[in-house]
Amino acid sequence: MGQYKRLWFTLIAVVAVTFSLLGYYGTEVYRKAPPIPQQVATADGKALFSKDDILDGQTAWQSVGGMQLGSIWGHGAYQAPDWTADWLHRELTAWLDLAARDTYGRTYAALDGPTQAALREQLRAEYRGNRVDPDSGVLTVSARRAQAIADTGAYYARLFSDAPELRKSRESFAMKENTLPSAERRAKLTHFFFWTAWAAATERPGLTATYTNNWPHEPLIGNQPTSENIIWSIASVVVLLAGVGFLVWAWAFLRGHEEAPPAVAARDPLTTFALTPSQRALGKYLFLVVALFVFQVLIGGVTAHYTVEGQSFYGIELSKWFPYTLMRTWHIQSALFWIATGFLAAGLFLAPLINGGKDPKYQKLGVDVLYWALVVVVVGSFTGNYLAIAQIMPESLNFWLGHQGYEYVDLGRLWQIGKFAGILFWLVLMLRAIAPALRTPGGDKNLLALLTSSVVAIGLFYGAGLFYGERTNLSVMEYWRWWVVHLWVEGFFEVFATTALAFIFSTLGLVSRPMATAASLASASLFMLGGLPGTFHHLYFAGTTTPVMAVGASFSALEVVPLIVLGHEAWENWRLKDRAPWMANLKWPLMCFVAVAFWNMLGAGVFGFMINPPISLYYVQGLNTTPVHAHAALFGVYGFLALGFTLLVLRYIRPAYALNQGLMKTAFWGLNAGLVLMMGTSLLPIGIIQFHASVSQGLWYARSEAFMQQPILQTLRWVRTFGDVVFIVGALSMALQVVLGLLGKAPALTAPEGRLNATQR
């Protein structure tokens, strides 16, 4: 470790402490998850439904697309209602009407204010009270509540069928006709919806907050932010300010004097290596990246249009074959596939350079096998998604081959295992090249060791998505799902990207190896400090306890801290283009890396923290403020990273091809401008308007048909078309550039004189 010992010990300590927090409070998630009653029965002993019925309803919900059709506990799609908030409000209003008719012979709306207030107090007492027997696990409800449950369930059973009186609602919610054909499964679906709403309304034993920390906002029963919510929201802002302050001081006093940059070679050092067979085989990876990218962008346009017409695409009843739920599933899954493929390709390109410019034995065969395995997983999972949502796939096979129902991990479990196996195989291919370099005496191996650690983490931590099953409690599932979505993607991919870029720039001789190593180790510690425990900020209202909220709010505020100085990183990357004449060939990859820094600051930092404090997320979870952050962070950061890696690899495997400046300007600025337009003219204004509705009346209203179909919101959704078109033009230009580059002349395999080992350069 030598001169980096302090940085290594800091990183190891950060990882140890933060993983301990994740593990300890993960056991709390298991212990404190909202219970699923063994049976729901009336006070006179009449059984309504059982735990198995609720879990059967959960599997039915998964089969229709799960989180891609509306949301549960705020997680999922945004066009249809949040089923938890919507069910709760419908059941509460049904109870009030029943009580008003039973007691006063009139509807609730016809009563005067004091009488309504008295009924609401009875309602609050009945719904917030925890009536699960701890010994038998039986949940007892009153006869009136049982009737309210039945009335609400009947509405949902009709909504998910093809009942003509609710066709307009299905169109507003972008639901296809006869979403769930089986009447029996529709009934069980309603039991699952009831349970999610019951957890949101029922206080934990011995506490005055519900299992979901009083989420969603529902004035009828006094669901409002807890005192802990407000306390930890304020604490998160204080932690953020402290983190920024300490970072500025550290930046000023601890970074030392900047050393002079190394002398730049007259020729691009990476062109002194002969391309290996495995590197030459990476062209098909780049084609897969842009093919899936274009597919994702075009599908995204269709998905966005469904928010206007619901069941049609400019008059064509497309939802008969390709409903909103399927389009959104493919949109998200294809994004994950092409971004991951871009990262895998970058790693496979670096592997031979690390290994002294040569392939390990059978490396090309491994690269080819991995590519076709990726294709099989993509095609298989997309086919399974289609068969599941079309309700063609047998119920028993849905979870394994069809649709898991959980956002970002929608692919069937078999395909998920296949994807994990592919990532592990990539890890093996990488380690076969890295291990000999690590064993070679001499040279500074610290940066390579950090790169190796990030590669191992990427290979292993996707497996967290296998730790839950088809019938796992929703709270437990959310814990592990966010290990994949947040920890794997936002944590370890971030470290890999930072270290890989540092390795490339130092190998090019643009920055010194000591500077690249120190910066990468420090960045990794900062990313891990906030990023690992920050996973919990997704779980504030997912059936977890206050300590999870406290840890999530405090540490996720620290995630924003390193993003404050990304303007400096962008400038450092940008000025590299003037270090040598041959750097002109790397202008557009560098531009993508500059864009990454910008969107990391704005999308992950500003828009991320906008929804991050518990008090903010309490009102905006499940509103259009979330996709503002998601689009800016997922595409703006990881999308541009993957595209930057793609262009970088393309430049070296097709060195004779010069990128078309007109195409690249259209691609780069079209993607950036399109992203700004779709957020600034549509998603963010809609989210702000919804935010006001959520605060003033409740989440159910902010996601309701009456609210979402207002002319102003319809107009804003139409306006998004302009941004989408600009973005699509940029995407098509990027894809065309890559394809033209791949069709260019390939270099010879002859090794130039003086080949150097990249690990010792």
Side-chain angles (χ1 to χ4, degrees):
M1 292 184 184
Q3 60 182 312
Y4 309 110
K5 185 179 294 185
R6 184 180 300 174
L7 290 171
W8 273 110
F9 282 155
T10 300
L11 176 58
I12 291 169
V14 165
V15 171
V17 170
T18 53
F19 265 114
S20 297
L21 286 171
L22 266 182
Y24 176 79
Y25 288 108
T27 62
E28 283 288 290
V29 172
Y30 274 84
R31 289 199 301 266
K32 303 294 186 179
I36 303 177
Q38 292 296 325
Q39 190 174 76
V40 180
T42 59
D44 60 5
K46 179 184 177 183
L48 301 179
F49 45 88
S50 67
K51 178 178 181 178
D52 284 340
D53 292 328
I54 293 171
L55 292 175
D56 286 344
Q58 181 172 320
T59 65
W61 168 71
Q62 293 165 355
S63 74
V64 298
M67 290 179 178
Q68 303 296 358
L69 181 62
S71 56
I72 292 288
W73 290 348
H75 294 294
Y78 311 101
Q79 186 64 14
D82 179 88
W83 304 118
T84 302
D86 191 67
W87 176 289
L88 180 59
H89 188 76
R90 288 180 183 277
E91 186 186 329
L92 294 176
T93 54
W95 188 98
L96 286 171
D97 262 335
L98 289 168
R101 292 181 187 280
D102 291 345
T103 309
Y104 304 104
R106 288 182 289 168
T107 64
Y108 174 76
L111 301 177
D112 58 34
T115 307
Q116 288 184 340
L119 286 181
R120 286 198 303 271
E121 193 57 36
Q122 295 178 40
L123 178 79
R124 176 189 173 101
E126 176 156 352
Y127 274 78
R128 293 186 68 90
N130 195 321
R131 292 174 171 78
V132 176
D133 185 276
D135 297 322
S136 66
V138 174
L139 167 62
T140 302
V141 299
S142 67
R144 181 178 294 157
R145 184 170 185 180
Q147 185 59 52
I149 293 169
D151 292 347
T152 308
Y155 162 79
Y156 279 102
R158 297 195 309 276
L159 180 66
F160 280 79
S161 71
D162 55 2
E165 70 273 15
L166 291 177
R167 179 181 175 86
K168 184 66 175 66
S169 293
R170 283 190 291 274
E171 184 179 343
S172 298
F173 299 155
M175 296 172 64
K176 68 171 186 172
E177 292 300 303
N178 218 13
T179 303
L180 187 57
S182 167
E184 180 184 359
R185 299 191 77 200
R186 287 198 299 269
K188 292 182 177 180
L189 175 70
T190 67
H191 304 331
F192 172 66
F193 286 170
F194 160 79
W195 174 76
T196 68
W198 171 83
T202 304
E203 294 177 356
R204 287 183 181 274
L207 298 178
T208 57
T210 70
Y211 285 105
T212 57
N213 286 313
N214 282 2
W215 185 94
H217 181 216
E218 177 50 79
L220 287 176
I221 55 169
N223 263 17
Q224 57 191 15
T226 62
S227 56
E228 292 85 359
N229 182 309
I230 297 171
I231 289 169
W232 289 109
S233 297
I234 296 172
S236 72
V237 176
V238 174
V239 169
L240 171 62
L241 294 175
V244 171
F246 281 116
L247 180 63
V248 171
W249 276 77
W251 185 269
F253 287 94
L254 301 180
R255 63 178 176 145
H257 298 291
E258 290 190 8
E259 59 184 71
V264 180
R267 178 184 174 188
D268 184 341
L270 291 188
T271 61
T272 64
F273 294 85
L275 283 176
T276 67
S278 74
Q279 289 175 318
R280 290 169 62 88
L282 292 175
K284 53 184 172 287
Y285 280 77
L286 307 189
F287 177 79
L288 183 61
V289 167
V290 294
L292 285 173
F293 177 41
V294 169
F295 176 78
Q296 186 232 343
V297 170
L298 294 178
I299 290 296
V302 176
T303 305
H305 187 78
Y306 269 140
T307 66
V308 177
E309 287 197 70
Q311 296 179 333
S312 301
F313 184 73
Y314 293 102
I316 302 171
E317 292 192 44
L318 195 63
S319 66
K320 290 181 178 179
W321 307 281
F322 300 103
Y324 170 88
T325 309
L326 180 65
M327 295 289 97
R328 193 174 190 272
T329 298
W330 284 351
H331 177 63
I332 291 177
Q333 285 302 302
S334 55
L336 298 181
F337 278 126
W338 75 259
I339 290 172
T341 302
F343 276 73
L344 299 186
L348 294 172
F349 175 78
L350 285 176
L353 300 180
I354 295 169
N355 194 41
K358 58 184 183 295
D359 277 340
K361 196 173 183 180
Y362 302 120
Q363 185 80 351
K364 180 182 181 299
L365 176 62
V367 168
D368 290 340
V369 169
L370 177 59
Y371 173 80
W372 290 110
L374 284 172
V375 171
V376 169
V377 169
V378 170
V379 174
S381 62
F382 281 16
T383 303
N385 295 153
Y386 176 85
L387 296 175
I389 292 174
Q391 295 293 298
I392 296 172
M393 182 166 289
E395 176 184 345
S396 59
L397 297 179
N398 175 72
F399 184 80
W400 284 92
L401 296 176
H403 202 301
Q404 288 191 41
Y406 300 127
E407 198 174 27
Y408 296 104
V409 283
D410 305 90
L411 68 175
R413 176 54 57 88
L414 180 65
W415 310 115
Q416 186 183 16
I417 292 172
K419 184 176 179 180
F420 182 43
I423 295 169
L424 289 178
F425 187 56
W426 173 79
L427 172 60
V428 171
L429 294 176
M430 293 294 295
L431 292 181
R432 292 172 74 240
I434 293 173
L438 286 172
R439 291 195 298 264
T440 302
D444 184 351
K445 303 294 195 306
N446 285 276
L447 186 59
L448 183 58
L450 182 59
L451 180 65
T452 305
S453 302
S454 67
V455 166
V456 171
I458 288 173
L460 297 180
F461 277 88
Y462 182 76
L466 304 176
F467 287 0
Y468 61 85
E470 183 177 10
R471 299 166 76 86
T472 298
N473 186 293
L474 206 59
S475 292
V476 173
M477 180 283 301
E478 285 284 44
Y479 173 71
W480 291 114
R481 183 173 76 94
W482 287 108
W483 270 59
V484 175
V485 181
H486 181 97
L487 188 60
W488 184 64
V489 175
E490 297 184 39
F492 296 119
F493 267 108
E494 187 89 51
V495 175
F496 171 79
T498 300
T499 311
L501 285 176
F503 187 89
I504 291 169
F505 290 153
S506 63
T507 302
L508 288 171
L510 301 172
V511 297
S512 69
R513 181 59 60 93
M515 181 182 295
T517 302
S520 297
L521 284 168
S523 296
S525 294
L526 285 172
F527 288 139
M528 295 295 98
L529 179 62
L532 266 65
T535 304
F536 283 143
H537 78 254
H538 299 283
L539 303 178
Y540 294 156
F541 313 117
T544 56
T545 54
T546 297
V548 169
M549 180 187 295
V551 172
S554 300
F555 281 90
S556 62
L558 293 176
E559 288 185 84
V560 182
V561 172
L563 307 182
I564 300 297
V565 295
L566 284 181
H568 178 78
E569 179 185 317
W571 165 247
E572 291 292 329
N573 288 339
W574 172 247
R575 73 175 185 169
L576 292 178
K577 66 182 177 57
D578 299 321
R579 293 293 319 281
W582 48 263
M583 279 299 293
N585 292 324
L586 298 179
K587 172 186 175 181
W588 291 109
L590 280 178
M591 289 290 284
C592 287
F593 301 143
V594 170
V596 167
F598 172 78
W599 287 109
N600 227 337
M601 178 276 297
L602 183 63
V606 177
F607 293 147
F609 194 73
M610 176 180 72
I611 64 174
N612 187 69
I615 189 63
S616 174
L617 199 59
Y618 179 86
Y619 290 110
V620 304
Q621 180 158 288
L623 305 185
N624 276 266
T625 46
T626 303
V628 170
H629 163 61
H631 281 82
L634 184 58
F635 176 77
V637 179
Y638 297 100
F640 268 119
L641 261 176
L643 292 176
F645 282 142
T646 298
L647 293 174
L648 193 69
V649 174
L650 176 66
R651 183 264 177 273
Y652 287 111
I653 68 173
R654 294 292 188 271
Y657 182 81
L659 297 180
N660 182 290
Q661 294 302 304
L663 269 180
M664 285 310 306
K665 287 179 181 178
T666 302
F668 181 80
W669 294 112
L671 292 172
N672 279 284
L675 193 56
V676 169
L677 286 171
M678 74 169 70
M679 292 187 306
T681 64
S682 182
L683 289 175
L684 186 57
I686 291 173
I688 292 172
I689 294 170
Q690 284 184 295
F691 172 50
H692 181 270
S694 178
V695 173
S696 60
Q697 298 195 50
L699 178 68
W700 68 272
Y701 179 65
R703 289 279 297 275
S704 67
E705 179 181 5
F707 183 82
M708 292 296 289
Q709 296 307 310
Q710 294 179 89
I712 179 62
L713 297 187
Q714 281 284 71
T715 300
L716 287 171
R717 286 195 288 271
W718 272 111
V719 167
R720 177 177 169 174
T721 305
F722 295 105
D724 287 351
V725 169
V726 172
F727 192 89
I728 289 170
V729 170
L732 292 175
S733 300
M734 179 68 75
L736 179 59
Q737 176 64 96
V738 172
V739 171
L740 290 175
L742 292 174
L743 295 176
K745 184 179 178 182
L749 278 172
T750 306
E753 296 293 326
R755 186 167 62 194
L756 301 175
N757 186 326
T759 63
Q760 298 184 20
R761 181 172 287 278

